[in-house]
Amino acid sequence: MTARAGEPFVLPRAVAEAEQLLAAPVPPAGPTLAQGDPVTGEWTATEGAGFRIVPLWEGDPLTGVYAPEWNDAEEAAEAHLASLAQELDHRWGPHTTVTLHVPLQRWQVGGPPVEPLFQALFAEDLYGDLTVWGPVGAAGPGGAGDRWFAVTVGHSDGDAPLVLAALVSDRPVAAEQP
């Protein structure tokens, strides 16, 4: 669960948060650390060497939900992702898609290590493909150089809510090779 539980998806807010995330500093080095709300412990952000990941929206829990309501929940999450991607395409140019199946498989079976960014995504149950822009100039207070920005939708299990998350990286976000 994230600290965004119960908030409706609002496209202008998501776009503003994307632009703020793009301009905010990221740690140049150090361990990957997940942060939680001090009161509830719900996930608020994860930072690591060169990246930051934050939730933008969380759907309703799917406890006891079956088709067609399950399909409706997935379609709503994908529609939020698509509307945000379309708006960011207008601002930053066309996006690319980075699939996560190769690093996810390696992470699950304990194969060769995966990048800390991908490990951080998987630790928050964000297994969906990444919709990526970059490099995008990071302007504004604290902004430094070109950044890569991505959004994804994921959820941990059948009862967990779907989560739309965003990330910014000061390094290219690209698919790992098998």
Side-chain angles (χ1 to χ4, degrees), residues 86-118:
Q86 182 178 19
E87 183 60 33
L88 296 178
D89 282 347
H90 290 303
R91 294 167 186 262
W92 301 336
H95 66 270
T96 60
T97 300
V98 172
T99 62
L100 296 182
H101 64 275
V102 170
L104 178 58
Q105 183 179 21
R106 285 203 319 238
W107 183 72
Q108 289 174 327
V109 299
V114 299
E115 291 183 35
L117 171 62
F118 295 145

Coordinates of all heavy atoms in Angstrom, one line a residue, residues 86-118:
Q86 N 0.2 10.4 -22.7 CA -0.2 11.2 -23.8 C 0.2 12.7 -23.5 O 0.7 13.4 -24.3 CB -1.7 11.1 -24.1 CG -2.1 12.0 -25.3 CD -3.6 11.8 -25.6 OE1 -4.4 11.3 -24.7 NE2 -4.0 12.2 -26.8
E87 N -0.1 13.1 -22.3 CA 0.2 14.5 -21.9 C 1.7 14.7 -21.8 O 2.2 15.8 -22.3 CB -0.4 14.9 -20.6 CG -0.2 16.3 -20.1 CD -0.8 17.3 -21.1 OE1 -1.8 17.1 -21.7 OE2 -0.1 18.4 -21.2
L88 N 2.4 13.8 -21.3 CA 3.9 13.9 -21.3 C 4.5 13.8 -22.7 O 5.5 14.5 -22.9 CB 4.5 12.9 -20.3 CG 4.1 13.1 -18.8 CD1 4.7 12.0 -18.0 CD2 4.4 14.5 -18.3
D89 N 3.9 13.1 -23.6 CA 4.4 13.0 -25.0 C 4.3 14.4 -25.6 O 5.2 14.9 -26.3 CB 3.5 12.1 -25.8 CG 3.9 10.6 -25.6 OD1 5.0 10.3 -25.0 OD2 3.1 9.8 -26.1
H90 N 3.2 15.2 -25.3 CA 3.1 16.5 -25.8 C 4.1 17.5 -25.2 O 4.6 18.3 -26.0 CB 1.7 17.1 -25.4 CG 0.6 16.5 -26.1 ND1 0.5 16.4 -27.5 CD2 -0.6 15.8 -25.7 CE1 -0.7 15.8 -27.9 NE2 -1.3 15.4 -26.8
R91 N 4.5 17.2 -24.0 CA 5.5 18.1 -23.4 C 7.0 17.7 -23.7 O 7.8 18.6 -23.9 CB 5.3 18.1 -21.9 CG 4.0 18.7 -21.4 CD 3.7 18.4 -20.0 NE 2.4 18.9 -19.6 CZ 2.2 20.0 -19.0 NH1 3.2 20.8 -18.6 NH2 1.0 20.4 -18.7
W92 N 7.3 16.4 -23.7 CA 8.6 15.9 -23.8 C 9.0 15.2 -25.1 O 10.1 14.7 -25.2 CB 9.0 15.1 -22.6 CG 8.8 15.7 -21.3 CD1 8.8 17.1 -21.0 CD2 8.6 15.1 -20.0 NE1 8.6 17.3 -19.7 CE2 8.5 16.1 -19.0 CE3 8.4 13.8 -19.6 CZ2 8.3 15.8 -17.7 CZ3 8.2 13.5 -18.3 CH2 8.1 14.5 -17.4
G93 N 8.0 15.0 -25.9 CA 8.2 14.2 -27.1 C 7.8 12.7 -26.9 O 7.4 12.3 -25.8
P94 N 7.9 11.9 -27.9 CA 7.4 10.5 -27.8 C 8.2 9.7 -26.8 O 9.4 9.9 -26.7 CB 7.5 10.0 -29.2 CG 8.4 10.9 -30.0 CD 8.4 12.2 -29.3
H95 N 7.5 8.8 -26.2 CA 8.1 7.9 -25.2 C 8.5 6.6 -25.9 O 8.2 6.3 -27.0 CB 7.1 7.6 -24.1 CG 5.9 6.8 -24.5 ND1 4.8 7.4 -25.0 CD2 5.7 5.5 -24.6 CE1 3.9 6.5 -25.3 NE2 4.4 5.3 -25.1
T96 N 9.3 5.8 -25.2 CA 9.6 4.5 -25.6 C 9.1 3.5 -24.5 O 8.8 4.0 -23.4 CB 11.2 4.3 -25.8 OG1 11.8 4.6 -24.6 CG2 11.7 5.2 -26.9
T97 N 9.1 2.3 -24.8 CA 8.7 1.3 -23.8 C 9.9 0.4 -23.4 O 10.6 -0.1 -24.3 CB 7.6 0.4 -24.3 OG1 6.5 1.2 -24.6 CG2 7.2 -0.7 -23.3
V98 N 10.2 0.2 -22.2 CA 11.2 -0.6 -21.7 C 10.5 -1.8 -21.0 O 9.8 -1.6 -20.0 CB 12.2 0.1 -20.7 CG1 13.2 -0.9 -20.0 CG2 12.9 1.2 -21.5
T99 N 10.7 -3.0 -21.5 CA 10.1 -4.2 -20.9 C 11.0 -4.6 -19.7 O 12.2 -4.5 -19.8 CB 9.9 -5.3 -21.9 OG1 11.2 -5.7 -22.4 CG2 9.0 -4.9 -23.0
L100 N 10.3 -5.2 -18.7 CA 11.1 -5.6 -17.5 C 11.1 -7.1 -17.4 O 11.6 -7.6 -16.3 CB 10.4 -5.0 -16.3 CG 10.4 -3.5 -16.2 CD1 9.8 -3.0 -14.9 CD2 11.9 -3.0 -16.3
H101 N 10.7 -7.9 -18.4 CA 10.6 -9.3 -18.2 C 12.0 -10.0 -18.0 O 12.1 -10.9 -17.2 CB 9.9 -10.0 -19.3 CG 10.5 -9.9 -20.7 ND1 10.3 -8.8 -21.5 CD2 11.3 -10.7 -21.3 CE1 11.0 -8.9 -22.6 NE2 11.6 -10.1 -22.5
V102 N 13.1 -9.5 -18.6 CA 14.4 -10.1 -18.4 C 14.9 -9.8 -17.0 O 15.3 -10.7 -16.3 CB 15.4 -9.6 -19.5 CG1 16.8 -10.0 -19.2 CG2 15.0 -10.1 -20.9
P103 N 15.0 -8.5 -16.6 CA 15.5 -8.3 -15.2 C 14.6 -8.9 -14.1 O 15.0 -9.4 -13.1 CB 15.6 -6.8 -15.0 CG 14.7 -6.2 -16.1 CD 14.7 -7.2 -17.2
L104 N 13.2 -9.0 -14.4 CA 12.3 -9.6 -13.4 C 12.6 -11.1 -13.3 O 12.7 -11.6 -12.2 CB 10.9 -9.4 -13.8 CG 9.8 -10.0 -12.9 CD1 9.9 -9.5 -11.5 CD2 8.4 -9.7 -13.5
Q105 N 12.8 -11.7 -14.4 CA 13.1 -13.2 -14.3 C 14.4 -13.4 -13.6 O 14.5 -14.3 -12.8 CB 13.2 -13.8 -15.7 CG 13.4 -15.3 -15.7 CD 13.5 -15.8 -17.1 OE1 13.7 -15.1 -18.1 NE2 13.2 -17.1 -17.2
R106 N 15.5 -12.6 -13.9 CA 16.7 -12.8 -13.2 C 16.6 -12.5 -11.7 O 17.2 -13.2 -10.9 CB 17.8 -11.8 -13.8 CG 18.3 -12.3 -15.1 CD 19.7 -11.8 -15.4 NE 19.9 -10.4 -15.1 CZ 20.2 -9.5 -16.0 NH1 20.4 -9.7 -17.3 NH2 20.4 -8.2 -15.6
W107 N 15.8 -11.5 -11.3 CA 15.6 -11.1 -9.9 C 14.8 -12.3 -9.2 O 15.2 -12.6 -8.1 CB 14.8 -9.8 -9.9 CG 14.5 -9.3 -8.5 CD1 15.4 -8.7 -7.7 CD2 13.3 -9.3 -7.8 NE1 14.8 -8.3 -6.5 CE2 13.5 -8.6 -6.6 CE3 12.0 -9.7 -8.2 CZ2 12.5 -8.4 -5.7 CZ3 11.0 -9.5 -7.3 CH2 11.2 -8.9 -6.0
Q108 N 13.9 -12.9 -9.9 CA 13.1 -13.9 -9.3 C 13.9 -15.2 -9.0 O 13.6 -15.9 -8.1 CB 11.8 -14.2 -10.1 CG 10.8 -13.1 -10.0 CD 9.6 -13.4 -11.0 OE1 9.8 -14.0 -12.0 NE2 8.5 -12.9 -10.6
V109 N 14.7 -15.6 -10.0 CA 15.5 -16.8 -9.9 C 16.8 -16.7 -9.3 O 17.6 -17.7 -9.1 CB 15.6 -17.5 -11.3 CG1 14.2 -17.9 -11.8 CG2 16.4 -16.7 -12.2
G110 N 17.2 -15.5 -8.9 CA 18.5 -15.3 -8.3 C 19.6 -15.4 -9.3 O 20.7 -15.8 -8.9
G111 N 19.4 -15.0 -10.5 CA 20.5 -15.0 -11.5 C 21.4 -13.9 -11.3 O 21.5 -13.3 -10.2
P112 N 22.1 -13.5 -12.4 CA 23.0 -12.3 -12.3 C 22.2 -11.1 -11.7 O 21.0 -10.9 -12.0 CB 23.4 -12.0 -13.8 CG 23.1 -13.3 -14.5 CD 22.0 -14.0 -13.8
P113 N 22.9 -10.3 -10.9 CA 22.2 -9.1 -10.3 C 21.6 -8.2 -11.3 O 22.1 -8.0 -12.4 CB 23.3 -8.5 -9.5 CG 24.6 -9.2 -9.8 CD 24.3 -10.3 -10.7
V114 N 20.5 -7.6 -10.9 CA 19.9 -6.6 -11.8 C 20.2 -5.2 -11.2 O 20.6 -5.1 -10.1 CB 18.3 -6.8 -11.9 CG1 18.0 -8.1 -12.5 CG2 17.7 -6.6 -10.5
E115 N 20.0 -4.2 -12.1 CA 20.3 -2.8 -11.7 C 19.6 -2.5 -10.4 O 18.4 -2.9 -10.2 CB 19.9 -1.9 -12.8 CG 20.8 -1.9 -14.0 CD 20.3 -0.9 -15.0 OE1 19.9 0.2 -14.6 OE2 20.4 -1.2 -16.2
P116 N 20.1 -1.6 -9.5 CA 19.4 -1.2 -8.3 C 18.1 -0.5 -8.6 O 17.1 -0.7 -7.9 CB 20.4 -0.2 -7.7 CG 21.7 -0.7 -8.1 CD 21.5 -1.2 -9.5
L117 N 18.0 0.2 -9.7 CA 16.7 0.8 -10.1 C 15.6 -0.3 -10.3 O 14.5 -0.2 -9.8 CB 16.8 1.6 -11.4 CG 15.5 2.1 -12.0 CD1 14.8 3.1 -11.0 CD2 15.8 2.8 -13.3
F118 N 15.9 -1.3 -11.0 CA 15.0 -2.4 -11.2 C 14.7 -3.1 -9.9 O 13.5 -3.5 -9.7 CB 15.4 -3.4 -12.3 CG 15.5 -2.7 -13.7 CD1 16.5 -3.1 -14.6 CD2 14.7 -1.7 -14.1 CE1 16.7 -2.5 -15.8 CE2 14.7 -1.2 -15.4 CZ 15.7 -1.5 -16.2

